[in-house]
Amino acid sequence: MKDFYRPAGSISDDRHRVMVTPGSAHWLYSGLRVVALSAEAPYEVFTGVSEMLVLPLSGGVVVVEVDGKTFELLGRQDVFTGVTDFVYVPREASAVLMSTDGAVVALPSAVCRHRLAARYAPASEVPVELRGAGQCSRQVNNFCTPESFHTDKLIACEVLTPGGNWSSYPPHKHDEATDTECELEEIYYFQIARDGVGYQRAYAYEPRPIDVLAEVRTDDVVLIPHGWHGPSIAAPGYDMYYLNVMAGPADARSWQITDDPAHTWVRETWQQEKVDPRLPYYPK
């Protein structure tokens, strides 16, 4: 489990609360940094062969200077109080991030081929989806899925799960290139409300085994290179947030999954259940 579960502090340094590169994850495409910004310490990054997003997790205005353009981000109080605006930073670009009042910012990234234009995405255009029903109810902020925002390789979304509920369920996978599935490396980055705990499961089969049952807390990361993953379990009393970062080798950017056939029947039960009334977290 050590190769796939990275607890808070184990992948941090002087500037990063979280640092996952394709090299440190032992794969080829997906990456993530989480950075605490302050007025005294601007953060500079060169994207190299990767495209990147600047996604505020908490805090006020962030100024992003990239390709001669300046973008101001309103951000949000925290991940449970609203969606956020964000900025796309292309490959082979330098960016400078600053915050006057302090902020925590996620920088999901993906190794890519094509250089697109830097641009701003407002929070008002982020599609918010309620998925599942009953104790499988969760909220998905589809801010960088193939249907909602154009990138070369990067796919990302946010999932919020009320305490006591299960998400990433039924267990599913995306590790083969077929007519109904695509190959994607995936990062789960967690924040848990009230300094609480949650749980993440991943499992697979020979010849590529994976066996994870991890208690997860804020700033923990679980890497999913292959195999069935789910459920993500929010302990009663502790709402769960996770940021999913995905990328893979296919020329066409898509997000197609296969359910574990032993559990896909669960989807049928949602037709008789109501969505958890605690959702959505922040109605528009």
Side-chain angles (χ1 to χ4, degrees):
M1 189 173 76
K2 291 181 180 179
D3 289 339
F4 308 111
Y5 168 56
R6 310 289 176 92
S10 66
I11 49 175
S12 62
D13 56 34
D14 291 343
R15 290 307 312 270
H16 303 95
R17 287 171 49 166
V18 167
M19 174 65 114
V20 178
T21 67
S24 69
H26 308 295
W27 58 31
L28 298 175
Y29 297 98
S30 299
L32 174 66
R33 309 179 189 199
V34 177
V35 181
L37 299 177
S38 67
E40 295 76 23
Y43 179 84
E44 298 184 32
V45 62
F46 179 68
T47 56
V49 296
S50 297
E51 57 189 351
M52 179 179 288
L53 302 179
V54 179
L55 180 80
L57 299 175
S58 63
V61 173
V62 177
V63 176
V64 184
E65 297 178 357
V66 56
D67 282 357
K69 301 177 182 178
T70 299
F71 303 95
E72 294 190 6
L73 296 176
L74 297 177
R76 52 188 163 182
Q77 179 178 337
D78 60 54
V79 295
F80 296 103
T81 57
V83 295
T84 184
D85 48 356
F86 62 95
V87 165
Y88 174 85
V89 183
R91 63 172 284 163
E92 299 170 359
S94 295
V96 179
L97 284 60
M98 295 173 284
S99 176
T100 56
D101 299 315
V104 177
V105 179
L107 305 173
S109 61
V111 173
C112 65
R113 297 179 183 176
H114 302 106
R115 194 179 197 276
L116 308 180
R119 60 198 189 279
Y120 169 82
S124 60
E125 294 183 6
V126 173
V128 174
E129 172 190 4
L130 300 186
R131 193 176 294 173
Q135 289 184 296
C136 293
S137 301
R138 61 272 203 184
Q139 176 173 317
V140 184
N141 300 335
N142 291 304
F143 68 95
C144 186
T145 54
E147 297 77 19
S148 63
F149 188 80
H150 178 57
T151 69
D152 187 31
K153 289 283 190 182
L154 181 61
I155 299 173
C157 68
E158 300 177 314
V159 181
L160 298 102
T161 309
N165 286 7
W166 288 27
S167 57
S168 277
Y169 194 74
H172 57 279
K173 72 181 185 75
H174 39 69
D175 58 12
E176 297 181 278
T178 70
D179 291 341
T180 57
E181 185 179 328
C182 54
E183 184 179 350
L184 294 169
E185 309 158 347
E186 184 165 19
I187 299 169
Y188 277 67
Y189 163 76
F190 293 91
Q191 289 196 4
I192 310 296
R194 296 175 143 187
D195 297 320
V197 300
Y199 296 87
Q200 177 66 40
R201 178 74 172 121
Y203 60 96
Y205 42 82
E206 298 292 349
R208 295 195 295 171
I210 181 172
D211 188 3
V212 176
L213 179 54
E215 182 177 283
V216 292
R217 299 173 182 268
T218 294
D219 285 345
D220 284 2
V221 166
V222 174
L223 305 176
I224 308 292
H226 54 260
W228 310 109
H229 45 286
S232 305
I233 306 169
Y238 299 106
D239 292 358
M240 169 187 281
Y241 163 95
Y242 52 88
L243 171 64
N244 287 142
V245 182
M246 293 169 277
D251 291 333
R253 176 174 170 255
S254 65
W255 183 12
Q256 296 175 286
I257 66 171
T258 301
D259 283 346
D260 182 338
H263 303 291
T264 193
W265 65 270
V266 172
R267 293 185 185 275
E268 299 175 7
T269 68
W270 299 344
Q271 299 175 12
Q272 287 76 47
E273 297 186 82
K274 295 182 179 180
V275 174
D276 191 314
R278 292 174 290 179
L279 297 175
Y281 277 86
Y282 24 84
K284 290 187 177 181

